[in-house]
Amino acid sequence: MSLWFALIINFCLSSSLRNCFFIGRFFIQRMESFWKEVKSQIKKSVPDHCYRMWIEPVVLMDHDSDHITLSAPNEFFVKRLKENYLCRFEKEFSR
């Protein structure tokens, strides 16, 4: 069993996502699509090897109207994400 560590991002969802939060399953599908778009935008702004190493393995674990919880393989990974990519995640989630 692999152990994943969480990186929690506090942010304000864009109004279009916040407005459909109550719709339940639709929101989950929309959030997963939004997560793919976030990763896609980050991929455009970092070297390919960095994306494959640090961003691609990150998984969307949970979300609500104020927080996003991302999972990463270990504590070092989370530390590295916070130091080098947190601002990119925050920027893309805030769009």
Side-chain angles (χ1 to χ4, degrees):
M1 180 175 159
S2 64
L3 181 62
W4 286 76
F5 293 82
L7 169 65
I8 299 174
I9 299 175
N10 297 316
F11 70 100
C12 182
L13 281 173
S14 67
S15 60
S16 62
L17 287 174
R18 194 175 325 121
N19 290 341
C20 69
F21 183 71
F22 68 94
I23 301 175
R25 185 180 170 122
F26 172 75
F27 178 77
I28 291 169
Q29 291 171 344
R30 180 123 182 231
M31 193 63 187
E32 289 171 357
S33 175
F34 184 59
W35 169 236
K36 288 178 185 177
E37 181 62 27
V38 165
K39 286 176 78 171
S40 175
Q41 291 302 315
I42 293 172
K43 186 175 185 176
K44 293 176 185 178
S45 67
V46 299
D48 190 55
H49 67 281
C50 293
Y51 177 83
R52 286 192 323 266
M53 178 73 169
W54 299 108
I55 308 300
E56 195 171 76
V58 177
V59 177
L60 174 66
M61 290 294 290
D62 196 16
H63 51 81
D64 62 28
S65 61
D66 297 318
H67 303 87
I68 291 286
T69 304
L70 304 175
S71 67
N74 56 52
E75 288 181 58
F76 174 74
F77 209 99
V78 172
K79 181 178 184 274
R80 181 80 174 180
L81 288 172
K82 286 180 180 179
E83 291 172 351
N84 298 293
Y85 300 102
L86 183 58
C87 63
R88 293 176 196 263
F89 282 114
E90 290 172 334
K91 176 183 171 188
E92 294 303 327
F93 277 114
S94 297
R95 288 185 172 212

